[in-house]
C-alpha cells in the first residue's frame, strides 16, 4: 500500500513523518512546494509538483489542508488523475456536507473516501498519538487500519460519510468551552498574584486538570502564543458547529461567545496565533 500526503502544515508534517517511519509514505505534495521538497529530501521520497501527479502514483491519498474550499479544490484535482480502486482519506476539519460531496465526487471515479478528522494537536501529530474520528465504509477503514495506526493512538468508526466530521464538531465545541474555562481561570489566578507555574502544576494533577491546561497553560501565561492550533482555524470549525447546532435546534452559547472573542482577536491580527491567545481577551488590563 503506497501512500501520498497532501498538506504539510503544522499537523501534516508530523503525520507524514510517522507514515514514512512505518514504511507507508511514498510521496508528498504541498501548495508551497519548498516545504514538500524539504520533507521529501529528509525522508528520501518523492515530492510532486502537482496533486494530479501524486494521485496517479499512489494507492492511498491522505489530505490535511485548511478549510472546506481547500479540501474540495484538492479533491477536484485528485479526481482528474486518481487510479480506480484507490482510497482518499481527508484528515482536515471541515463540514459533514463537504465530506459527503467529496465522497460523491470520488465515487464517480471508483475511489473510496473516508472523512477522518483528528484531535490531539501538533504534539499528537508528531508523536503519532492522534484520536481519529472516521465516517465512511467500515470495510475500507479496516483495510487501512494498519496505515492509519502509524499516526494515531485511537481510531473510532462513527457511521457513514460525514459522521467523522460531525464527531469532530462535538470535539471543537468542547475545546471552545475548555479554552474559555482555562484562559478565564488563569487570568483570574494572575490577577490574584498567585505563582502561575505552581497553580498550573497543582491543578493539572487534580479533577480540573486537562490536556489544554497541561500543554498550553504555561506558554499562555508567559504570553507565548505560537501555534499549535491557529485561532482562525478553530473559528472556522466553530462556524460549522454553530450551523449544525442551529439545524437541530440545540443552543451552544459557549460556541457563540468564543466565536465573538476569536473575531475580535482576528480583527487585531492575531488569527495565526494559537487558540490559547484567548488569554489576551481575559487578562486584566
Ligand atoms: P496549517 O499549519 O495552516 O497548514 C495548512 C496546510 O494546508 C498547509 O500545508 C497549506 O499549504 C495547505 N493548504 C491550505 N489550503 C490549500 C489549498 N487550497 N490547496 C492545497 N493546500 C492547501 O494548518 P494545520 O494546523 O496543519 O491544520 C490543518 C487541518 O487540520 C485544518 O483543517 C485544522 O482545522 C485541522 N486540525 C488542526 C489541529 C492543530 O492543532 N493544528 C488539530 C486537529 C485538526 P501551504 O503550506 O502552501 O500554506
Amino acid at each position: 500500500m503506497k501512500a501520498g500526503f497532501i498538506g504539510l502544515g503544522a499537523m501534516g508534517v508530523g503525520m507524514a513523518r510517522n507514515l514514512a517511519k512505518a514504511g507507508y509514505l511514498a510521496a508528498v505534495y504541498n501548495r508551497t512546494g519548498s516545504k514538500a521538497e524539504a520533507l521529501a529530501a529528509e525522508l528520501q521520497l518523492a515530492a510532486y509538483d502537482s496533486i494530479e501527479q501524486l494521485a496517479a502514483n499512489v494507492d492511498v491519498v491522505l489530505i490535511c489542508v485548511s478549510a472546506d474550499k481547500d479540501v474540495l479544490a484538492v479533491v477536484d484535482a485528485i479526481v482528474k488523475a486518481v487510479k480506480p480502486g484507490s482510497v482518499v482519506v481527508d484528515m482536515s476539519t471541515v463540514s459533514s456536507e463537504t465530506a459527503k460531496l467529496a465522497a460523491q465526487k470520488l465515487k464517480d471515479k471508483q475511489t473510496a473516501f473516508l472523512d477522518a478528522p483528528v484531535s490531539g494537536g501538533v504534539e499528537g501529530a508528531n508523536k503519532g498519538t492522534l484520536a481519529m474520528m472516521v465516517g465512511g465504509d467500515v470495510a475500507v477503514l479496516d483495510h487501512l487500519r494498519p496505515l492509519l495506526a502509524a499516526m494515531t493512538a485511537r481510531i473510532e468508526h462513527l457511521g457513514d460519510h460525514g459522521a467523522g466530521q460531525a464527531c469532530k464538531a462535538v470535539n471543537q465545541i468542547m475545546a471552545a468551552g475548555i479554552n474559555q474555562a482555562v484562559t478565564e481561570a488563569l487570568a483570574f489566578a494572575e490577577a490574584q498574584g498567585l505563582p502561575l507555574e505552581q497553580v498550573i502544576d497543582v491543578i493539572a494533577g487534580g479533577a480540573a486538570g486537562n490536556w489544554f491546561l497541561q500543554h498550553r497553560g504555561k506558554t499562555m501565561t508567559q504570553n507565548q502564543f505560537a501555534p499549535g492550533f491557529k485561532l482562525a482555524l478553530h473559528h472556522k470549525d466553530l462556524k460549522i458547529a454553530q450551523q449544525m447546532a442551529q439545524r437541530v435546534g440545540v443552543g451552544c452559547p459557549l460556541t457563540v461567545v468564543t466565536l465573538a472573542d476569536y473575531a475580535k482577536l482576528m480583527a487585531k491580527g492575531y488569527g495565526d496565533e494559537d487558540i490559547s491567545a484567548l488569554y489576551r481577551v481575559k487578562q486584566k488590563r
Side-chain angles (χ1 to χ4, degrees), residues 6-12 29-32 35 51 64-67 69-71 73-74 91-94 118-122 168 172 216 228-230 233-234 236-237:
I6 297 173
L8 303 169
M11 293 296 286
Y29 166 86
N30 194 68
R31 181 178 57 182
T32 306
K35 288 191 207 169
I51 292 170
C64 190
V65 296
S66 306
K69 65 173 182 3
D70 307 308
V71 169
V74 168
M91 300 177 294
S92 324
T93 303
V94 294
V118 293
S119 176
V122 171
K168 178 72 197 226
Q172 297 310 75
R216 302 286 180 261
F229 182 32
K230 286 178 193 158
L233 289 179
H234 198 197
K236 167 254 317 175
D237 300 345

Side-chain angles (χ1 to χ4, degrees), residues 147-167:
L147 181 153
L148 299 177
M151 300 179 286
T152 56
R154 184 179 186 103
I155 301 172
E156 208 63 51
H157 182 253
L158 281 313
D160 206 351
H161 296 124
Q165 294 295 355
C167 183

Side-chain angles (χ1 to χ4, degrees), residues 33-92:
S34 54
K35 288 191 207 169
E37 280 155 28
L39 191 69
E42 175 195 319
L43 301 175
Q44 299 284 294
L45 42 82
Y48 287 111
D49 293 335
S50 75
I51 292 170
E52 288 86 341
Q53 276 179 308
L54 179 138
N57 283 288
V58 298
D59 313 302
V60 182
V61 183
L62 298 141
I63 308 170
C64 190
V65 296
S66 306
D68 294 68
K69 65 173 182 3
D70 307 308
V71 169
L72 291 175
V74 168
V75 167
D76 282 339
I78 292 172
V79 159
K80 287 184 195 151
V82 72
K83 296 186 286 187
S86 304
V87 184
V88 175
V89 182
D90 178 34
M91 300 177 294
S92 324

Side-chain angles (χ1 to χ4, degrees), residues 138-226:
V138 73
V140 174
L141 171 59
D142 286 343
H143 177 61
L144 289 196
R145 266 184 198 273
L147 181 153
L148 299 177
M151 300 179 286
T152 56
R154 184 179 186 103
I155 301 172
E156 208 63 51
H157 182 253
L158 281 313
D160 206 351
H161 296 124
Q165 294 295 355
C167 183
K168 178 72 197 226
V170 176
N171 184 86
Q172 297 310 75
I173 291 170
M174 215 177 282
I178 292 166
N179 194 1
Q180 288 288 349
V182 171
T183 53
E184 190 169 302
L186 291 182
F188 170 80
E190 187 181 27
Q192 295 292 322
L194 287 165
L196 291 173
E197 288 220 358
Q198 286 162 265
V199 168
I200 291 163
D201 287 340
V202 70
I203 291 177
N210 61 76
W211 187 98
F212 189 65
L213 176 67
Q214 250 169 345
H215 288 86
R216 302 286 180 261
K218 289 184 183 170
T219 46
M220 79 171 77
T221 52
Q222 291 159 7
N223 289 313
Q224 290 171 26
F225 305 114

